[in-house]
Amino acid sequence: MELLAIIKSLSNETRLNILKWLKDPFAHFPEEELSEDTPALGVCVSDIAEKAGMSVPTVSDYLKTMSAANILIATRKGQWTYYKRNEKSIQELAIYIKEKL
C-alpha cells in the first residue's frame, strides 16, 4: 500500500464525495442510470461527473488518480469506463490508520 499516493488521491472534497457516493450507488445516483450490473461493474464516468457538477475530463482525471492509488477499480465496457470502490484496499487503509498512525 502506497499511503502517500492514497492520501493524495483523496485530497479534495470532490474525490472524497465520489468515494462516498460509490459506497452506495443506488442511494446517490438516479435509478435509471444504474443497472443490476452496477454492484459488479460500478458507475459510469459520465454519471459521476454529472453528480459532481463537473466536466467529464476533470472527473475522469480524478478517477484515474484514485484508481492508480488502488482505491477504485476501473472496468472498461465498450466505449464506457465504470468505477467502483476497491473495498479490500479501503479496508487495508483503515486498518493501517488504526494500527500504525
Side-chain angles (χ1 to χ4, degrees):
M1 171 178 45
E2 299 226 8
L3 184 60
L4 285 179
I6 293 169
I7 290 171
K8 286 179 183 180
S9 79
L10 299 173
S11 67
N12 77 34
E13 187 174 2
T14 301
R15 292 178 191 176
L16 288 172
N17 284 336
I18 291 169
L19 195 62
K20 210 179 336 179
W21 299 335
L22 292 177
K23 185 171 186 174
D24 185 5
F26 291 97
H28 297 284
F29 295 93
E31 192 173 320
E32 61 271 7
E33 300 297 332
L34 305 174
S35 73
E36 65 274 355
D37 295 331
T38 297
L41 192 60
V43 178
C44 184
V45 173
S46 60
D47 295 329
I48 298 169
E50 186 174 331
K51 172 82 173 166
M54 301 176 84
S55 71
V56 171
T58 299
V59 170
S60 183
D61 185 55
Y62 286 178
L63 295 168
K64 286 177 188 172
T65 299
M66 295 167 75
S67 183
N70 209 25
I71 291 297
L72 298 180
I73 298 169
T75 302
R76 188 106 174 134
K77 186 175 180 183
Q79 67 183 34
W80 308 108
T81 303
Y82 296 81
Y83 286 88
K84 67 178 183 176
R85 291 164 47 112
N86 184 340
E87 296 297 343
K88 182 177 182 230
S89 287
I90 293 168
Q91 185 62 36
E92 288 173 359
L93 174 63
I95 290 169
Y96 183 87
I97 289 171
K98 181 179 179 185
E99 294 179 358
K100 307 270 182 176
L101 295 181

